[in-house]
Amino acid sequence: MKLNPVFYIILVLFSCNLTQAQQNSTKAESIPLTFARQDVIHSKFLNEDRRINVFLPESFYETSTQHTYPVLLLLEDEFFLMTSGVIKHLSSVERMPETILVSLVDGPKVPKLYTNGSDFWPKDWKQLPFGENPDPFTAHLKQELFPYLKNNFRANDFKIVMGLSGTSTYALHAFTKEPGLFDAHIAIASGDILGMGYSEGESLIDVIINDFGNNQKKTGWLYVTSADSDGNGNSPMIKENLEELEKRLSPYRSDDFHFISKIFPNEGHYDVALPALEEALGLLFPKEKWFAKYSEIIEESGNAMRNIDDYFDGLSMEYGFKILPKAERWNSGNSLSRIGPYLLREGKTAEAIEVIERWVEYRPKSTLALSELAKAYESSNEFTKAISALAKATEISSEWSVEESTDYQTKINQLKKKLEEERN
C-alpha cells in the first residue's frame, strides 16, 4: 500500500505542536519547544554562510550524554519534512537508530559531469549545465559541518548521505571519490546520473567497478534507484544503467558491502522519494536485527540486563557506534521502562533493580523512572535508596510544577517510618 507523503508531514507538525503544548503546560523553560531548527554556519572553504535545517531525535533533550546519534545528510531540502517524519516513526518503533537529520537549504556543490549521450537530457548537452569543483564543499563537510554537529548535537561518526535527482550527483561522487566520508549512500531518481562521468565515454558505473576491480576495499551500503516512469518510455537508458550496475557490482556484494540498484515500479520521478527512502533504510537497518524483542532476550539464560547489553553490543560492533537499549517507548513492551517493572512483578527484584537503574541512568530527569526505582528499592527493603530516588523525583517535579511532587513527599514520609521501624 502506498502512503501519502502528506501523512508524514502532518505527523511531524503534530508531534512538534504536541511537544510544545506539553512543555508549555509544565513550564519547563530549559526544554526547547520543538525538535526542528535552522542554523547558519559560515564556511571559510566556500566563503559563504550555509543554512542547514536540523531535525533532532525525539529523546534528544531527555537522554543522558552517553547517547550519540548517526547523521543523515539530506542534499535536497525539499524533502526535509518527509524524511524527518519517516526517521521519527521508524526510530520510535525501533526499526532504526534515532538519527539526526540535516538538510542543506543551499544545496550541495556537485561535480560537472559529461552526459555521455544520456537520453534523459537534451541531446546537444555534452556536459550538464550545472556543477563545479566539489572539493571545497567536501572540505566544508569534513572540517566544518560534521564537527559542528558533533559539538552541538552529540553526533557520532556514522553518516548517511541522500540525494534526489540532480543532488544525487554528489551522493554518487562521494561513493566513488570520497571513500570513508559516509557509511551509506542513497541516490534516488539517479539512474540517468549513473551513465554520466568525469570524462567523456567513462560512466560512473565504470568508475565504481574499476575501484572494486583494483581491490579498493569499500564497505557499507549503496542504494540507487529511479522510478519506472523515468526508465521506461521517457529514458530507456535509465533502466539500462541501473541493470548494468546491478549486474557488474553483484560479484562484490558481501557481508561488509550491501547494495540495491533497481527500477522502482509504479512511481513517478519525485513520487518515488518516500517508498525508496523506506526501502533504503530497510537495507541499512534490517527489521530482523533492529526490532529487538526484549521479553525474549531476558528469558534467555543469564542475567536480564546483561542479556540486553549483549544484544546491543553486537549491533554496536556491526555498525561501529555505540547503540544503547531503548529506555522508554510508547505503548510497547520493548523498552527498559517496561521490562524493569515486569521483572519486579515476577519477583526478580535484583534483576529489576539493575534494569530500572539503567533506565534512570539513560533518562536522569524522568520522574517516572525514579519513582519506579524507588518501588524496586522498597521491595528489597533498601529504604534509604528508595528515599533518595524519590527525593530526586520530588526535586525535578517541583522544578516543573508537577502535581505529583506532593505525592512523592507523602511516600518519602512513609518510607522514613519504615526505616525507623527497621532500625528499632
Side-chain angles (χ1 to χ4, degrees):
M1 181 180 71
K2 299 178 188 176
L3 296 179
N4 192 326
V6 175
F7 168 80
Y8 286 100
I9 296 173
I10 293 172
L11 175 66
V12 173
L13 295 176
F14 173 77
S15 171
C16 292
N17 290 338
L18 179 60
T19 301
Q20 180 171 342
Q22 291 173 333
Q23 293 170 345
N24 282 344
S25 67
T26 58
K27 300 179 181 178
E29 296 180 359
S30 62
I31 300 179
L33 299 179
T34 178
F35 297 112
R37 55 186 284 172
Q38 184 171 111
D39 290 11
V40 178
I41 304 173
H42 180 76
S43 173
K44 66 179 182 180
F45 294 100
L46 299 172
N47 193 30
E48 63 183 19
D49 288 339
R50 301 282 300 176
R51 294 170 297 164
I52 57 171
N53 285 331
V54 182
F55 191 85
L56 297 171
E58 186 175 15
S59 66
F60 179 81
Y61 295 106
E62 301 170 3
T63 53
S64 67
T65 55
Q66 298 177 61
H67 292 75
T68 64
Y69 306 98
V71 172
L72 194 160
L73 181 65
L74 179 61
L75 304 173
E76 187 73 58
D77 181 65
E78 174 70 21
F79 297 90
F80 177 72
L81 286 177
M82 180 207 77
T83 308
S84 59
V86 172
I87 289 175
K88 179 183 182 300
H89 174 66
L90 291 179
S91 62
S92 71
V93 296
E94 215 162 8
R95 292 278 296 277
M96 66 176 290
E98 288 192 299
T99 298
I100 298 169
L101 172 67
V102 178
S103 68
L104 305 180
V105 178
D106 304 303
K109 307 292 185 181
V110 305
K112 197 173 186 68
L113 299 179
Y114 286 87
T115 61
N116 289 335
S118 170
D119 56 9
F120 189 75
W121 300 87
K123 295 185 180 299
D124 58 346
W125 284 9
K126 187 176 181 179
Q127 287 184 288
L128 292 177
F130 55 86
E132 58 189 277
N133 178 10
D135 292 345
F137 175 71
T138 300
H140 161 65
L141 297 182
K142 290 180 178 178
Q143 301 184 45
E144 294 172 336
L145 178 59
F146 293 154
Y148 179 85
L149 298 175
K150 179 172 287 190
N151 292 335
N152 289 278
F153 304 117
R154 305 200 305 272
N156 59 41
D157 293 328
F158 190 92
K159 293 184 283 292
I160 307 163
V161 62
M162 173 178 164
L164 297 98
S165 195
T167 60
S168 68
T169 303
Y170 186 81
L172 293 171
H173 167 77
F175 183 78
T176 58
K177 297 295 185 180
E178 298 293 340
L181 181 58
F182 296 97
D183 297 272
H185 302 75
I186 303 173
I188 298 173
S190 62
D192 55 316
I193 306 296
L194 277 177
M196 301 181 188
Y198 301 105
S199 59
E200 288 189 80
E202 183 183 49
S203 69
L204 291 178
I205 300 173
D206 296 328
V207 176
I208 291 170
I209 300 304
N210 287 340
D211 287 344
F212 279 92
N214 292 330
N215 295 319
Q216 181 173 324
K217 179 70 172 177
K218 288 193 177 183
T219 60
W221 297 263
L222 174 65
Y223 180 89
V224 191
T225 193
S226 277
D228 59 352
S229 63
D230 289 337
N232 291 334
N234 294 345
S235 175
M237 288 179 69
I238 288 178
K239 185 172 184 289
E240 294 169 6
N241 290 337
L242 290 162
E243 290 175 346
E244 180 183 353
L245 180 63
E246 168 66 31
K247 181 179 179 179
R248 296 177 66 185
L249 198 53
S250 287
Y252 303 104
R253 187 180 272 119
S254 69
D255 291 338
D256 296 322
F257 176 64
H258 313 262
F259 83 93
I260 290 176
S261 177
K262 60 177 282 188
I263 277 283
F264 212 103
N266 304 316
E267 294 294 348
H269 184 71
Y270 283 117
D271 306 18
V272 73
L274 177 57
L277 172 61
E278 184 177 7
E279 184 175 63
L281 292 175
L283 174 69
L284 271 69
F285 309 113
K287 180 180 179 180
E288 61 269 19
K289 292 181 180 179
W290 283 88
F291 190 70
K293 297 180 180 179
Y294 287 59
S295 58
E296 295 181 7
I297 293 173
I298 65 171
E299 291 302 322
E300 297 173 4
S301 61
N303 173 274
M305 191 67 245
R306 192 171 302 116
N307 289 348
I308 294 172
D309 282 339
D310 287 345
Y311 184 93
F312 285 93
D313 285 346
L315 272 184
S316 300
M317 287 288 292
E318 181 173 348
Y319 283 85
F321 66 94
K322 186 64 176 177
I323 301 167
L324 301 176
K326 197 85 168 175
E328 297 176 5
R329 180 176 165 187
W330 176 79
N331 203 24
S332 172
N334 291 325
S335 67
L336 302 181
S337 62
R338 295 298 183 93
I339 291 301
Y342 166 78
L343 291 169
L344 189 61
R345 292 193 299 271
E346 292 294 303
K348 300 178 180 180
T349 305
E351 289 185 274
I353 288 174
E354 278 190 278
V355 172
I356 300 173
E357 282 179 336
R358 184 70 65 81
W359 175 15
V360 171
E361 180 183 335
Y362 289 167
R363 295 291 180 93
K365 294 185 178 181
S366 170
T367 56
L368 177 59
L370 287 162
S371 63
E372 290 294 333
L373 183 58
K375 291 178 185 177
Y377 284 146
E378 183 181 5
S379 294
S380 64
N381 295 322
E382 297 180 81
F383 300 124
T384 300
K385 288 185 176 181
I387 291 169
S388 177
L390 283 176
K392 183 63 176 176
T394 303
E395 178 185 341
I396 294 171
S397 60
S398 297
E399 291 175 3
W400 291 1
S401 300
V402 177
E403 293 179 1
E404 283 80 356
S405 59
T406 56
D407 297 335
Y408 296 145
Q409 189 58 55
T410 299
K411 184 63 181 177
I412 287 173
N413 293 335
Q414 294 172 355
L415 288 169
K416 285 181 177 179
K417 288 182 179 180
K418 286 187 176 182
L419 185 59
E420 288 178 8
E421 293 172 358
E422 184 182 67
R423 288 173 176 172
N424 294 331

